[in-house]
């Protein structure tokens, strides 16, 4: 009965914005009468997860996590990018409790998904397998799978908001109380430990769904951040669960052993369902469902379709913060493969420049590694004297995203890229960090070997000897830098710089720190508190 998630995405082609938290509005009478109805209910929360964990075009976990970090920004570019000042407040960490998009929207999206998990859990538990046309072992597996997916929701809610209500049943309680961050952590850990051995291992038919492999990855995230989230170190536990994945005890997408991809681009390609590296992802098949990851909305220029010979443009939004691109060595393949910079040409005619659309309409489109109004530059003027901040962009400002490549419109897998959430490279980095922190911040050789195994793919044999880390060069600050280079665009940056202590103290581009640590958690939305008197606001708000 195992169904690969992408095959049913056609049932749920969108998730809409919500104006208030709804813990219990689900109508399930006369449902769950056959296997198809059961499967559609179990898979519904996955399709909703797409709305907040990926670069989906919505303001969810991914967007606030990346735009509050030190690598990506959505600056105003001429007449574009105002958006009520949302991206400016994210960049400068000046959000407020009644921010509808930044604060309330991720909360609503994720708690709605919690409801989408709770409802089928309740219904599967209250019905017999025979009533639903499935076997008892299938019923138990599906319940366990939903418990794990719900734990994933709560991990990410805890990451953003810290002290949150935990709801495990539809409509009960109607006004759930705030739980401490430590208590939420314990709830997530206990759920994962209780159900990880009751779900299938990762196989080709379970791509895009929670499996034992996904459970181990969630535990790794919990234990890696345990000191920050609970005040207690769990480095040994982090190493142990990472080893379960590194040693391929929980399956893989290919049906063989879990392993690193041998190149930089297979993990993000439009056939990456075949990647042995991806542990948990949002799965898509644009050809079968016309549903895809909408990353073009956040990243693509107004005329991007000509650059890759496709059909979708974007909002000319998110770009690299100046200084991020230069963190990569020139010999690093990631610098060449994962970004667009410089003059852009039609893919179908490399001699034909792609034209601009706003300030540079009718002129060649040239992406630049700065955010300033170069069009105002006077003869002889030093361009570095131009103002550079979140309000001074032009349509061509900033280095652009090219990590996920959709293929040309004629490609049989066009825009069918799965969005990787956990991948084995992240596990390698998590174990290496735990080893270093266990060792007082110094890298043992085992940590160096893990990071080098991932990084080596980005260099030719000629340049690798000088690029490889040693126990002397792999310091904790350098590990944070390398995490940034490897996992750029993947939704980890806010969490990383909080754990490494630079979120409140670091400077990047025009962002200056104020040292106030209360912004490491977003506030509980004002609307949520007004609707539930049992909620308590986070400190500092």
């Amino acid at each position: 009965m195992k169904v690969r998630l992408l095959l049913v995405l056609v049932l749920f082609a969108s998730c809409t914005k919500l104006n208030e938290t709804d813990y219990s509005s689900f109508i399930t009478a006369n449902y769950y009468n056959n296997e198809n109805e059961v499967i559609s209910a179990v898979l519904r929360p996955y399709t909703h997860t797409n709305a907040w964990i990926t670069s989906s075009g919505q303001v969810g976990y991914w967007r606030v996590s990346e735009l509050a970090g030190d690598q990506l920004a959505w600056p105003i570019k001429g007449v574009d990018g105002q958006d009520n000042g949302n991206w400016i407040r994210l960049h400068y960490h000046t959000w407020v409790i009644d921010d509808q998009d930044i604060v309330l929207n991720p909360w609503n999206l994720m708690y709605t998904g919690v409801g989408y998990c709770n409802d089928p859990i309740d219904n599967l538990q209250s019905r017999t397998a025979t009533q639903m046309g499935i076997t008892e072992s299938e019923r138990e597996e599906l319940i366990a799978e939903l418990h794990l997916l719900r734990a994933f929701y709560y991990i990410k809610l805890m990451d953003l908001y810290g002290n949150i209500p935990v709801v495990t049943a539809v409509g009960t309680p109607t006004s759930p109380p705030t739980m401490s961050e430590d208590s939420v952590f314990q709830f997530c850990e206990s759920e994962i430990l209780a159900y990880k051995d009751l779900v299938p291992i990762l196989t080709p038919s379970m791509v895009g769904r929670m499996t034992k492999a996904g459970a181990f990855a969630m535990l790794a995230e919990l234990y890696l951040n345990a000191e920050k989230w609970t005040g207690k170190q769990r480095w040994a536990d982090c190493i142990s669960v990472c080893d379960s994945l590194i040693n391929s005890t929980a399956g893989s997408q290919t049906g063989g052993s879990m392993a690193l991809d041998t190149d930089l681009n297979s993990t993000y390609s439009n056939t990456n369902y075949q990647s042995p590296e991806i542990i948990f992802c949002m799965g898509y098949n644009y050809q079968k469902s016309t549903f895809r990851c909408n990353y073009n909305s956040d990243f693509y220029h107004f005329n991007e379709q000509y650059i890759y010979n496709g059909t979708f443009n974007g909002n000319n939004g998110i770009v690299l913060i100046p200084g991020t691109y230069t963190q990569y060595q020139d010999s690093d393949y990631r610098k060449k493969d994962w970004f667009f910079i410089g003059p852009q040409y039609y893919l179908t005619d490399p001699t034909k420049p792609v034209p601009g659309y706003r300030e540079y309409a009718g002129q060649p489109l040239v992406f630049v590694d700065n955010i300033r109004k170069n069009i105002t530059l006077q003869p002889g003027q030093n361009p570095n004297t131009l103002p550079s901040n979140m309000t001074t962009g032009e349509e061509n400002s900033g280095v652009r995203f090219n990590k996920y490549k959709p293929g040309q419109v004629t490609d049989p897998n066009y825009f069918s890229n799965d969005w990787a959430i956990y991948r084995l490279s992240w596990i390698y980095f998590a174990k290496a960090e735990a080893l270093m922190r266990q060792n007082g911040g110094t890298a043992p050789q085992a940590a160096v070997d893990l990071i080098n195994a991932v990084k080596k793919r980005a260099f030719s044999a000629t340049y690798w000897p000088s690029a490889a880390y040693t126990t002397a060069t792999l310091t904790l600050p350098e590990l944070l830098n390398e995490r940034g280079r490897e996992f750029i665009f993947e939704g980890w940056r806010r969490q990383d710089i909080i754990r490494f202590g630079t979120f409140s103290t670091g400077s990047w581009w025009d962002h200056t720190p104020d040292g106030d640590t209360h912004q490491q958690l977003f506030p509980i939305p004002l609307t949520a508190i007004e609707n539930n008197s049992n909620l308590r606001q986070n400190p500092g708000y």
Side-chain angles (χ1 to χ4, degrees):
M1 191 187 70
K2 297 182 179 66
V3 179
R4 189 177 170 212
L5 176 58
L6 59 86
L7 296 182
V8 298
L9 288 178
V10 67
L11 298 176
F12 309 106
S14 66
C15 290
T16 59
K17 285 190 175 183
L18 301 166
N19 294 322
E20 62 181 47
T21 302
D22 188 343
Y23 299 102
S24 58
S25 292
F26 302 93
I27 299 172
T28 55
N30 300 319
Y31 205 58
Y32 295 88
N33 296 315
N34 56 61
E35 181 180 323
N36 286 338
E37 290 181 355
V38 170
I39 288 297
S40 66
V42 169
L43 298 184
R44 179 63 182 97
Y46 288 102
T47 64
H48 183 78
T49 306
N50 157 79
W52 59 268
I53 196 61
T54 73
S55 174
S56 67
Q58 295 203 47
V59 187
Y61 176 91
W62 182 91
R63 190 177 287 183
V64 300
S65 293
E66 286 291 7
L67 296 188
D70 61 355
Q71 291 187 305
L72 305 179
W74 190 325
I76 293 174
K77 306 183 193 75
V79 298
D80 301 304
Q82 302 280 344
D83 299 327
N84 300 314
N86 291 335
W87 324 135
I88 291 175
R89 292 195 300 283
L90 270 170
H91 179 73
Y92 296 126
H93 299 177
T94 55
W95 49 78
V96 292
I97 62 174
D98 60 349
D99 255 314
Q100 295 295 301
D101 286 325
I102 296 171
V103 174
L104 180 61
N105 207 60
W107 173 280
N108 279 343
L109 283 170
M110 287 191 276
Y111 269 112
T112 299
V114 168
Y116 285 142
C117 294
N118 286 340
D119 182 65
I121 289 174
D122 287 354
N123 280 280
L124 289 168
Q125 289 175 333
S126 65
R127 289 167 168 79
T128 66
T130 301
Q131 286 176 306
M132 296 183 288
I134 59 176
T135 68
E136 179 60 21
S137 63
E138 288 170 341
R139 187 183 77 94
E140 292 175 352
E141 281 186 358
L142 293 173
I143 291 171
E145 179 183 349
L146 287 163
H147 274 269
L148 291 178
L149 183 59
R150 185 178 66 188
F152 177 69
Y153 269 78
Y154 277 121
I155 289 171
K156 297 305 187 181
L157 278 161
M158 175 178 60
D159 184 22
L160 292 188
Y161 301 100
N163 312 291
I164 58 172
V166 170
V167 183
T168 59
V170 175
T172 305
T174 55
S175 297
T178 296
M179 289 177 59
S180 69
E181 201 166 4
D182 182 64
S183 296
V184 179
F185 182 101
Q186 291 181 43
F187 168 78
C188 294
E189 181 186 22
S190 64
E191 286 280 287
I192 299 168
L193 292 175
Y195 291 101
K196 68 179 178 63
D197 294 323
L198 303 180
V199 292
I201 63 172
L202 179 57
T203 61
S205 65
M206 290 297 288
V207 169
R209 295 174 63 178
M210 265 297 169
T211 64
K212 190 171 185 177
F216 281 131
M218 286 192 291
L219 288 172
E221 182 177 0
L222 280 176
Y223 297 147
L224 185 65
N225 293 283
E227 185 174 31
K228 189 64 187 177
W229 290 344
T230 71
K232 301 172 185 176
Q233 298 177 357
R234 300 289 294 272
W235 308 126
D237 290 329
C238 182
I239 293 166
S240 177
V241 295
C242 287
D243 281 339
S244 296
L245 290 166
I246 293 169
N247 295 331
S248 197
T249 67
S252 79
Q253 290 194 149
T254 65
S257 296
M258 187 171 289
L260 298 178
D261 278 311
T262 57
D263 65 276
L264 289 177
N265 295 314
S266 294
T267 314
Y268 316 101
S269 73
N270 59 20
T271 57
N272 60 348
Y273 66 90
Q274 300 173 331
S275 166
E277 178 168 330
I278 296 176
I279 298 168
F280 177 53
C281 67
M282 290 293 99
Y284 306 91
N285 188 317
Y286 184 55
Q287 285 66 46
K288 291 184 178 180
S289 68
T290 67
F291 186 51
R292 59 187 176 80
C293 189
N294 197 34
Y295 55 80
N296 61 288
S297 176
D298 282 343
F299 292 115
Y300 282 8
H301 181 267
F302 303 121
N303 283 334
E304 191 95 8
Q305 62 181 329
Y306 305 125
I307 299 173
Y308 70 100
N309 192 31
T311 55
F312 297 103
N313 294 312
N315 292 314
N316 199 34
I318 296 173
V319 303
L320 268 62
I321 285 173
T324 301
Y325 182 69
T326 54
Q327 287 286 314
Y328 294 85
Q329 298 177 47
D330 289 342
S331 55
D332 190 330
Y333 291 143
R334 295 172 296 190
K335 191 173 187 177
K336 302 169 185 176
D337 287 354
W338 289 357
F339 310 102
F340 286 125
I341 188 173
Q344 301 302 305
Y345 296 91
Y346 279 68
L347 185 64
T348 55
D349 183 356
T351 67
K352 182 179 180 181
V354 172
Y357 185 85
R358 296 287 196 203
E359 300 96 326
Y360 295 97
Q363 301 178 54
L365 178 64
V366 181
F367 294 136
V368 295
D369 188 17
N370 56 69
I371 298 172
R372 61 195 184 209
K373 295 188 181 301
N374 293 302
I375 202 168
T376 67
L377 194 66
Q378 299 299 310
Q381 182 181 1
N382 182 345
N384 292 324
T385 64
L386 293 174
S388 179
N389 57 59
M390 285 289 288
T391 68
T392 62
E394 299 179 310
E395 70 165 292
N396 66 337
S397 293
V399 178
R400 306 304 176 99
F401 166 97
N402 191 34
K403 197 170 191 178
Y404 282 83
K405 300 172 177 63
Q408 299 186 53
V409 67
T410 55
D411 191 315
N413 299 295
Y414 178 59
F415 250 111
S416 286
N417 317 66
D418 295 344
W419 185 272
I421 298 169
Y422 293 116
R423 57 186 179 100
L424 190 60
S425 290
W426 188 91
I427 296 297
Y428 274 44
F429 272 73
K431 180 180 178 181
E433 183 180 336
L435 288 167
M436 292 176 70
R437 294 191 185 277
Q438 261 192 341
N439 198 40
T442 301
Q445 188 60 47
V448 173
D449 292 343
L450 287 164
I451 303 304
N452 279 342
V454 177
K455 185 181 180 182
K456 189 174 185 179
R457 301 177 296 183
F459 292 88
S460 69
T462 300
Y463 291 105
W464 176 241
S466 62
Y469 287 119
T470 67
T471 55
T473 59
L474 185 60
T475 62
L476 281 175
E478 178 54 26
L479 180 63
L480 177 61
N481 291 339
E482 185 61 21
R483 284 189 72 94
R485 288 185 284 264
E486 179 63 26
F487 301 108
I488 192 167
F489 305 121
E490 295 187 40
W492 293 107
R493 197 55 179 174
R494 172 187 163 275
Q495 185 185 103
D496 286 348
I497 61 178
I498 288 174
R499 191 174 64 254
F500 277 80
T502 63
F503 183 85
S504 303
T505 61
S507 298
W508 47 89
W509 181 36
D510 70 327
H511 174 100
T512 57
D514 60 11
D516 192 338
T517 60
H518 85 273
Q519 294 150 340
Q520 292 180 11
L521 293 177
F522 287 97
I524 306 302
L526 178 62
T527 299
I529 291 177
E530 289 175 341
N531 291 331
N532 178 0
S533 61
N534 290 327
L535 296 182
R536 297 293 176 262
Q537 188 54 270
N538 283 326
Y541 291 104

